[in-house]
Amino acid sequence: MKAADFIYHRAVSVDDALRLLDDYDGTARILAGGQSLVPMLNMRLLRPAALIDVNGLEELAKIEVRGSETVLGGLVRHVTVETSPLIAERLPLLAKMIRHVADRQVRNRGTIGGSLVQGDPTGEMPLGCLVLGARVCVTSHGNSREIAMRDFYEGSYAAALHADELLVEIIFPRHPTYHAFHELNRRHNDFAVLSIAVVGDQTEGRWSNVRLGLGGVHDTAILVEEAGERLQGTRLEDEDIAAATEAVSRAISPPSDMRASEEYRRHLVSVYVPRVLRELRASAETRAFN
């Protein structure tokens, strides 16, 4: 099957892209990497009146340091996240997670902004940005706003963007000192059955700023705040990890689909949340001896 007819525009600036979005009054779509959009067009799951290509807009492909914050333009490609020394230094969890995104061909074209707008509940980038406490900057003609990642989705594949808005930046606060990530797939680079990401700081053996998130167990990536609160001030001992795992089990609502049943996903959570938290603990112990 091929896409239905549409009009193609190549935007020459952000203002030009916003003007075109206004002109089509909600019936146009932004084309960035196209790794999700184009297959949906070909299957006729989407039939926009126009595509607005922003691939030539270098202003959307920037990586900036603003004090303790790290800012990625919406057009930064996955391969850049994977290979950038600056991102490896300042956002190491993101650099680790990006290697689990699809395959090399997809990462060469896919963009972080496109991944966030797509909002796949098993997607690595929505989960990573959520756990890192990122904010998304979106703009329209005459207005810009920031949306915390925890508020960015209204449901599965449903980003809280207005039809005339363009995602321009993702803003990350200081990355906590330690991180861990694990993902389970039926096949290499397949959609995740379960993904778990966690970050935290440690001072004199006590943990703080622990943020634990999961993908594939809800209609969006989910941050389990109760688990982070339970681990605050602890030494991340086995009983603390068990209590946090119980908090996660209460918070999730796993689907049953072609990849796994709800029951199996719940079992995986009970096994892999402790494993990832022990990995987080071990990363601090390793650094202490180096």
Side-chain angles (χ1 to χ4, degrees):
M1 187 178 292
K2 294 186 178 181
D5 290 343
F6 57 83
I7 299 172
Y8 172 84
H9 297 276
R10 187 170 181 83
V12 297
S13 66
V14 169
D15 284 344
D16 186 37
L18 296 177
R19 177 187 61 78
L20 288 164
L21 285 172
D22 278 347
D23 288 348
Y24 282 95
D25 193 25
T27 63
R29 294 295 297 262
I30 294 293
L31 173 63
Q35 300 305 293
S36 299
L37 177 61
V38 171
M40 293 174 74
L41 292 174
N42 287 338
M43 290 186 286
R44 302 202 175 190
L45 297 174
L46 290 175
R47 298 190 182 197
L51 292 186
I52 303 168
D53 188 343
V54 297
N55 277 279
L57 306 186
E58 291 299 322
E59 59 198 294
L60 296 181
K62 63 189 177 183
I63 302 174
E64 293 183 353
V65 174
R66 299 177 188 166
S68 63
E69 295 184 331
T70 308
V71 181
L72 306 187
L75 200 59
V76 170
R77 300 198 188 276
H78 292 147
V79 67
T80 302
V81 176
E82 184 177 0
T83 59
S84 166
L86 180 63
I87 292 178
E89 176 188 353
R90 296 182 65 92
L91 302 172
L93 173 64
L94 213 65
K96 183 173 186 177
M97 294 178 72
I98 202 72
R99 293 176 173 84
H100 294 262
V101 174
D103 54 30
R104 178 64 60 192
Q105 291 87 343
V106 169
R107 294 199 295 274
N108 280 341
R109 291 300 302 167
T111 64
I112 185 169
S115 179
L116 296 189
V117 172
Q118 175 71 1
D120 188 327
T122 69
E124 291 83 3
M125 290 301 94
L127 174 61
C129 292
L130 176 66
V131 169
L132 290 174
R135 311 185 308 278
V136 174
C137 180
V138 300
T139 188
S140 60
H141 263 143
N143 185 51
S144 293
R145 61 189 179 116
E146 288 185 3
I147 311 169
M149 275 302 301
R150 61 187 298 170
D151 301 320
F152 191 60
Y153 296 110
E154 297 171 346
S156 183
Y157 298 97
L161 284 178
H162 300 153
D164 62 344
E165 288 181 323
L166 175 66
L167 189 157
V168 292
E169 290 181 344
I170 306 99
I171 305 166
F172 295 87
R174 181 194 69 86
H175 192 296
T177 307
Y178 303 101
H179 67 277
F181 173 70
H182 196 88
E183 181 171 295
L184 290 91
N185 317 82
R186 294 193 308 167
R187 296 181 299 274
H188 179 62
N189 291 127
D190 193 6
F191 291 95
V193 174
L194 169 69
S195 53
I196 308 169
V198 62
V199 295
D201 293 312
Q202 190 203 65
T203 304
E204 297 180 351
R206 300 285 180 180
W207 285 87
S208 61
N209 303 320
V210 178
R211 293 172 62 88
L212 174 67
L214 298 94
V217 294
H218 210 266
D219 58 355
T220 65
I222 181 174
L223 183 71
V224 186
E225 294 183 355
E226 184 183 349
E229 293 168 0
R230 177 61 183 82
L231 296 172
Q232 180 75 15
T234 72
R235 294 186 179 276
L236 212 57
E237 295 174 345
D238 288 348
E239 57 266 32
D240 304 315
I241 290 173
T245 303
E246 290 180 9
V248 172
S249 296
R250 291 192 295 270
I252 62 176
S253 181
S256 290
D257 56 30
M258 63 181 292
R259 296 182 182 89
S261 66
E262 175 185 358
E263 181 181 13
Y264 183 54
R265 281 189 166 98
R266 285 192 176 277
H267 168 71
L268 291 175
V269 165
S270 71
V271 173
Y272 283 96
V273 168
R275 187 173 297 182
V276 171
L277 289 173
R278 287 194 294 268
E279 182 181 331
L280 181 70
R281 182 178 64 192
S283 68
E285 293 169 349
T286 300
R287 176 174 290 198
F289 286 105
N290 289 336

